[in-house]
Amino acid sequence: MSTKQKILIVDDDASIAELISIYLTKECFETKTVHDGESALSSFDEFNPDLVILDLMLPGIDGYQVCREIRTKSSVPVIMLSAKGEVFDKVLGLELGADDYMIKPFDNKELVARVKAVLRRYQNTSSSKGESSSKVLSFNKLNINLSNYMVEYDGMRVEMPPKELELLYFLASSPNQVFTREQLLDHIWGYDYVGDTRTVDVHVKRLREKLPGTESWNIATVWGVGYKFEVTTP
């Protein structure tokens, strides 16, 4: 018998948390609800969830900090919930490592669909880690190993979430080839991804902050089109 996937629901509104739990339970998920940031962090370690649904506006430790703490020790997917609809809030949530972002009020059926989509993408990522084929790319000061999900830059290991690493590897696998944002969404996030192309921009921005590039390679913007891993030969 297969084990139920576990969802940690973090929302200071108990009625919202309970309603989400009811919908997910009907879809055969095991759920746990908590209502503040400290409980979220302790429950994350105890409950060991497969996904976290995380409200941003929490008493004590807010959702941004909770997400930041989770990302220091785990790549488990996080879907953020917020009454804030500004682009800045969405981008900040994604920069901290969230996998998706929903604005309140939302349709519970859509939330369930997003949970399933994010879990599918995460499971595909996890299964690809076990593939034995060598998936290593090397450039000046940069080594990208998709087999063990490791990136080294200038001799130092660079920590990054799976989607960042997959995006980097995909671009670097085809030097100087231009990809549109839609193509990158399809290849990295999957055709059923429910977000928008701004997700790609956020991940590229984070990659550039961690990997400033060298005289022989960089992650270049092709204005009006998308991005490419630009390699120059001496």
Side-chain angles (χ1 to χ4, degrees), residues 2 5 42 53 64 113 132 199 212 220-221:
S2 60
Q5 291 178 297
S42 60
I53 297 174
Y64 290 119
S132 59
T199 300
T221 299

Side-chain angles (χ1 to χ4, degrees), residues 56-57 64 80 82-96 101:
L56 290 182
M57 306 306 292
Y64 290 119
M80 282 189 168
S82 177
K84 298 181 178 181
E86 285 77 10
V87 170
F88 171 80
D89 297 297
K90 294 181 182 178
V91 171
L92 179 56
L94 293 169
E95 285 183 336
L96 291 174
Y101 189 107

Side-chain angles (χ1 to χ4, degrees), residues 31-60:
T31 66
K32 179 179 177 64
T33 60
V34 295
H35 308 298
D36 62 80
E38 289 186 4
S39 298
L41 292 175
S42 60
S43 295
F44 182 84
D45 294 328
E46 297 166 4
F47 187 55
N48 193 26
D50 296 289
L51 182 143
V52 179
I53 297 174
L54 176 63
D55 186 30
L56 290 182
M57 306 306 292
L58 298 171

Side-chain angles (χ1 to χ4, degrees), residues 193-205:
Y193 182 61
V194 288
D196 58 35
T197 56
R198 192 179 305 276
T199 300
V200 176
D201 298 333
V202 170
H203 281 71
V204 169
K205 176 178 180 290

Side-chain angles (χ1 to χ4, degrees), residues 115-153:
V115 166
K116 291 180 177 179
V118 169
L119 283 170
R120 279 196 300 271
R121 296 196 304 271
Y122 182 72
Q123 287 161 357
N124 289 337
T125 295
S126 299
S127 63
S128 69
K129 290 180 183 180
E131 296 176 1
S132 59
S133 57
S134 177
K135 296 184 177 181
V136 181
L137 300 173
S138 296
F139 301 89
N140 182 23
K141 297 184 178 181
L142 176 66
N143 290 303
I144 310 165
N145 190 327
L146 192 64
S147 297
N148 62 9
Y149 274 61
M150 182 182 297
V151 174
E152 292 181 346
Y153 178 76

